[in-house]
Amino acid sequence: MVEEGGTISVEELVNGVLRGEIVLPDFQRSFTWEPEEVRELLVSLLGGYFIGTMLILETVREDAPFALRFIEGAKEVNENIEVQSLIKIILDGQQRTTAIFYALYEPNIPLKGRKNPYFYFLDLEKALNEEWNEAVIGVSKSDRRKLGELEEKELIIPFKLVKDRKEILKRFKDHPRFSEIYELVDKFLKRPIHIIKLRRNTQLDKIAETFERINRIGKPLSIFDLLSARLYKHDINLRRLLKETKDRYEFASNVKEEYILRTIALIRGRELKAKEILSLNHENFEDDWDKAVKSLQKAYERITDIRDGYGAFDFSKWVPYTPMIVPLAALIHYLESRGKENPKNYAKIDKWYWISVFTNRYDQGANTTSFKDYKALIEWIEDDSKIPSFVNKFNISDVDLDVNKQSSATYRGVMNLITLSGALDFQTGQPPQFNQEKVQDDHIFPKSKFKTNKVNFVYNRTLITTNASKGNKPPSLYFEKRIEEYGKEKLKEILATHLIPADAIDDLLSDNIESFLEKRKKAILEKISEITQ
């Protein structure tokens, strides 16, 4: 027998990583998880949910069949780390292991698509009430305001503290719920993770075979698969419904099938937790499916509308938050089914949408936020005085435009606003053909010519049809040529459709990047303020 089952605790796992006893084969890809994926794993561990099986090869360093490397972050935390003589090589489970280590040791490494590291916090009160999803909070190092708020709360602690029982004892020994807090932390650290251990003499072909088999049979069924199986005995064929939907509606090719189930759940007033969706009643299910897909298509059209909608002309590339289509669809259905379609109520939905985008409210916990927002918006629709707290608290000064990642909701939101403003082509002055092949976002001041840390920020970028004539030319040369072709007043009109104010033209013509960026940033913030009032 070349393999055997077993478990390893969270504490044993991270300690092994820190000491250089648990390592990776050098061919493993780098850590690729985003902040929300790390958070969700912590939620699962905290709640005692199954997180899959890890495949480990136990051997000695000299007999390792691969070149070895440390888990990402281990060297940053323990600069004297060395690969030990007796080692465990993680063949399947690297992302999960790195995520756990990252949360508990806080190495100074940005996560995928982010320029700053993330810190993770545990809300002890939520955890003690078994509100697992709300108990784990992820915050960017750059979000000083949020970090300050969390650090002031007695019962919210960083996950790096969770691994230190002595510090927990010291901090909470006089707290009335100390025993519960200590037990919670102890259970988390002792949480067993299922592993399959390959023995030292396992041949490479057996390793490859086991790896393939684990991935094939260990992949969990999706919620859609599980519900499909449950509803089939009630003569409801979810696969057929999905195929018919994809044949008929454009949205269905751009979102996960689970989004339809989430929309049905919201329409029925249910939360979007997995157990809620899996327990959806079969009665009237096909009718509610029909309502959901029609509403999702309308939500999709509203999001992609470049005139009167939200300007995400390429849904897969430019929508700020894909999950927001679910509460949007449910809200549209609510207005239609209750005869409450009017400009005032749609304005409330618009305000919710844009505030959520520019305050990054759906960066994590999208399902929880969707349900809360749906309930809050319904109350607001029914009673003008019941304004949601996130609307009341919104302040334009909280909007951070210093973003340079196209994956950022703020970045995409700005590009959507430029689309809605017209984004006339700099060279022709004509509306662009909004499709993925012809439109790209480009630097106004080219980064090859201007060396400033702000050159990649979203307020130095805009949508253009082609940069063939623009290339890497400084703005002074490029826009002087445009003035020669059609005059300064026409240029002002065109620039306005890119949220570039008229008083910034002189900055373009003199290559004054600092002054230009200040004015462009202000103009974008004014536009955001306008649509969120």
Side-chain angles (χ1 to χ4, degrees), residues 410-429:
T410 297
Y411 189 106
R412 294 183 179 189
V414 170
M415 291 299 157
N416 294 168
L417 292 182
I418 292 170
T419 299
L420 291 169
S421 297
L424 297 179
D425 186 73
F426 285 149
Q427 188 167 355
T428 67

Side-chain angles (χ1 to χ4, degrees), residues 94 115 166 172 177 181 184 242 378 390 445 459 497 502:
Q94 176 221 353
K115 62 179 181 180
K166 290 183 179 179
F172 294 104
R177 302 188 74 179
I181 292 171
L184 175 76
L242 181 61
I378 286 177
F390 67 85
F445 282 75
Y459 44 90
T497 68

Side-chain angles (χ1 to χ4, degrees), residues 2 33 45 47 71 109 172 223 225 250 283 290 329 334 336-337 369 381 394 417 431 452 461 466 469 476:
V2 297
W33 276 17
L45 286 169
I71 297 289
I109 300 173
F172 294 104
I223 288 176
D225 290 328
E250 186 178 355
E283 293 182 7
D290 189 54
Y334 184 87
E336 291 181 347
S337 63
T369 305
I381 288 167
F394 175 71
L417 292 182
T452 168
R461 299 180 75 92
T466 175
S469 63
S476 57

Side-chain angles (χ1 to χ4, degrees), residues 344-363:
K344 183 176 71 172
N345 285 335
Y346 274 111
K348 291 174 181 177
I349 292 176
D350 293 344
K351 184 175 289 192
W352 156 75
Y353 182 88
W354 290 116
I355 287 176
S356 296
V357 167
F358 288 112
T359 55
N360 305 146
R361 295 183 62 250
Y362 280 74
D363 264 2

Side-chain angles (χ1 to χ4, degrees), residues 231-232 234-241 244-245 260 264 268 281-294:
L231 292 178
Y232 194 78
H234 298 289
D235 295 324
I236 298 172
N237 189 329
L238 230 52
R239 291 293 172 191
R240 175 183 57 79
L241 290 174
E244 292 173 353
T245 298
I260 303 173
I264 293 172
R268 292 183 174 186
N281 196 296
H282 66 278
E283 293 182 7
N284 301 316
F285 186 88
E286 293 196 18
D287 288 341
D288 286 345
W289 175 283
D290 189 54
K291 294 172 186 175
V293 297
K294 286 178 178 176

Side-chain angles (χ1 to χ4, degrees), residues 36-81:
E36 178 64 1
E37 292 175 289
V38 177
R39 196 192 72 84
E40 289 181 349
L41 179 64
L42 294 173
V43 169
S44 295
L45 286 169
L46 196 63
Y49 302 120
F50 180 63
I51 65 163
T53 299
M54 294 185 182
L55 181 62
I56 291 175
L57 173 65
E58 291 189 329
T59 186
V60 295
R61 181 181 55 214
E62 291 73 19
D63 291 345
F66 324 103
L68 304 172
R69 66 180 177 90
F70 300 116
I71 297 289
E72 284 179 59
K75 187 71 173 177
E76 284 74 12
V77 175
N78 179 11
E79 62 182 17
N80 297 317
I81 191 173

Side-chain angles (χ1 to χ4, degrees), residues 98-112:
T98 309
I100 297 168
F101 186 82
Y102 187 97
L104 268 63
Y105 278 93
E106 297 185 353
N108 190 33
I109 300 173
L111 293 178
K112 179 183 177 183

Side-chain angles (χ1 to χ4, degrees), residues 361-375:
R361 295 183 62 250
Y362 280 74
D363 264 2
Q364 59 184 17
N367 287 343
T368 300
T369 305
S370 293
F371 179 72
K372 290 180 178 178
D373 283 1
Y374 178 66
K375 291 295 187 182

